[in-house]
């Protein structure tokens, strides 16, 4: 009889060792002792039984209001940009109460500290209280992983817990059974929320979170299959009274940045652009960032406030009162009418492309620089090449840009040059050949050398 428990422990230490290797060693040991060995099938059955005995699990009895499990879902959802069609990932945080099974799920565009804490804040508000202990996974937003065998709670997360009067006890690394309730809840979210969401199209994070909130409410209210009641009923009737009360104010992380006001009277923060009064062009300003608001300060005074932009990079938030007066004037030297007229002179395809660029911005002045750069290609190259490039962009349904059109023009010039070398007419897709040698004046055909031929008496 082989020592199965020792073999199971050996397998756990090195998972790549096959069971068949253990069996071959058993056969050799049995032969050396002059005894019969077990068959491979019987050996595998004995190994599986020993592994099951050694891996026995225990059911945890959770106390109401004692703890909450927090983790990011492994799968991601997506939001789609209306203009370009590009998709951006949405990361879903899951907060669950193990006693009642009630949970909260919400999507964010990143996995930063702000999103991590905002998701838990919204969960506490949904539950109507705060559990006495938070059990997060070992994410960078929860723990400081610089020490190998010591668990250190992230400083920002520690201050957050102190504000809400709760403790943090991170789960052990690579011990999923410590938080089996969290793992099962994450699977529930991935199957019933993220999976169906990926078959739909959401254009904003708010649209996705609206769908997510409806699904969370439905799952919490759905009756249990093996016992009476639902997650919501257990939370309302038995667990909420054991939760600590919410503080009067939310905990809010604020970041400070320095920014210089650009000539278009906007400051750039996290690849998003926010307007300030045009008198501050060229000056350094302080920018205060929260999860929902952007405040711009100059000389200690708040000069502009915007809602924080999320999603596609390069978005604008522009307030009309920040614009110079001549930007809205009809006789402005740069206006949609001027760019449209310029484009129509080049051709209908160029006019269509410029029209789409003008419509792509909520504040039309924000598209003027792009239009001027695009139309300037007609001077750098030729209007005909720009018209052909715009035709290609329109056929693909792409929003024209200076870089894409310039690359297209260079590609077409290279193709035209190659056709010219091959004797084809540039721009003629049919490849019509031209006999250039006949009129070159350097060669004469065979007829010129025949008696009585061309050029002879």
């Amino acid at each position: 009889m082989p020592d199965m428990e020792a073999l199971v422990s050996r397998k756990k230490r090195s998972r790549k060792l096959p069971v068949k290797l253990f069996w071959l060693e058993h056969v050799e040991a049995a032969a050396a002792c002059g005894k019969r060995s077990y068959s491979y099938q019987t050996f595998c059955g004995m190994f599986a039984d020993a592994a099951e005995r050694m891996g026995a699990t225990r059911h945890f009895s959770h106390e109401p209001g004692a703890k909450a499990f927090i983790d990011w879902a492994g799968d991601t959802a997506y939001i789609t940009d209306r203009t370009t069609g590009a998709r951006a990932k949405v990361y879903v945080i899951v907060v669950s109460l193990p006693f009642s099974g009630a949970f909260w799920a919400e999507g964010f565009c990143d996995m930063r500290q702000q999103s991590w804490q905002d998701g838990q804040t919204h969960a506490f508000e949904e539950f109507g209280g705060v559990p006495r202990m938070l059990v997060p996974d070992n994410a960078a937003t929860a723990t400081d992983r610089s020490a190998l065998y010591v668990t250190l709670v992230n400083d920002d997360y520690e201050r957050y817990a102190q504000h809400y009067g709760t403790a943090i006890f991170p789960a052990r690394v690579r011990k999923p059974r410590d938080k089996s309730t969290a793992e099962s809840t994450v699977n529930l979210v991935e199957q019933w929320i993220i999976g169906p969401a990926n078959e739909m199209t959401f254009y904003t994070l708010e649209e996705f979170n609206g769908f997510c909130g409806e699904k969370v409410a439905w799952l919490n209210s759905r009756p249990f299959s093996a016992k009476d009641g639902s997650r919501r009923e257990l939370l309302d009737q038995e667990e909420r009274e054991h939760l600590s009360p919410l503080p009067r104010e939310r905990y809010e992380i604020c970041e400070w940045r320095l920014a210089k006001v650009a000539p278009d009277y906007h400051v750039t923060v996290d690849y998003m652009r926010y307007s300030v009064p045009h008198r501050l062009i060229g000056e350094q300003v302080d920018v205060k960032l929260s999860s929902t608001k952007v405040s711009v300060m100059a000389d200690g005074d708040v000069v502009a406030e915007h809602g924080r932009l999320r999603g596609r990079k390069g978005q604008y938030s522009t307030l009309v009162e920040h614009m110079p007066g001549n930007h809205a004037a009809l006789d402005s030297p740069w206006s949609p009418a001027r760019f449209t007229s310029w484009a129509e002179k080049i051709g209908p395809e160029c006019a269509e492309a410029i029209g789409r660029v003008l419509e792509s911005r909520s504040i039309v002045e924000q598209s003027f620089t792009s239009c001027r750069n695009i139309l300037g290609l007609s001077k750098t190259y030729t209007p005909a090449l720009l018209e052909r490039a715009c035709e290609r962009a329109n056929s693909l349904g792409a929003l024209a840009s200076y870089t894409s059109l310039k690359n297209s023009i260079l590609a077409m010039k290279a193709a035209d040059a190659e056709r010219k070398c091959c004797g084809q007419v540039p721009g003629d897709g049919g490849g019509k050949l031209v006999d250039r040698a006949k009129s070159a004046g350097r060669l004469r055909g065979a007829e010129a050398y025949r008696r009585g031929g061309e050029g002879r008496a």
Side-chain angles (χ1 to χ4, degrees), residues 112-176:
R112 296 180 181 176
Q113 194 75 35
Q114 183 73 61
S115 302
W116 172 255
Q117 296 178 186
D118 284 348
Q120 294 173 59
T121 299
H122 300 159
F124 300 156
E125 293 172 354
E126 178 67 18
F127 299 153
V130 183
R132 298 193 297 275
M133 183 187 301
L134 305 180
V135 184
D137 200 2
N138 278 265
T141 48
T143 58
D144 181 359
R145 295 177 289 185
S146 58
L148 185 59
Y149 297 108
V150 179
T151 301
L152 301 175
V153 178
N154 182 299
D155 290 340
D156 289 332
Y157 196 31
E158 183 69 37
R159 288 191 289 268
Y160 173 83
Q162 291 175 0
H163 179 80
Y164 281 94
T166 185
I168 300 173
F169 191 78
R172 291 183 297 173
V173 178
R174 296 180 181 176
K175 298 292 182 181

Side-chain angles (χ1 to χ4, degrees), residues 61 91 105 125 128 178 188 212 221 298 314 340 344 405:
S61 296
Y91 305 93
E125 293 172 354
D178 287 0
L188 189 72
C212 183
S221 301
T340 302
E344 289 174 347
L405 292 179

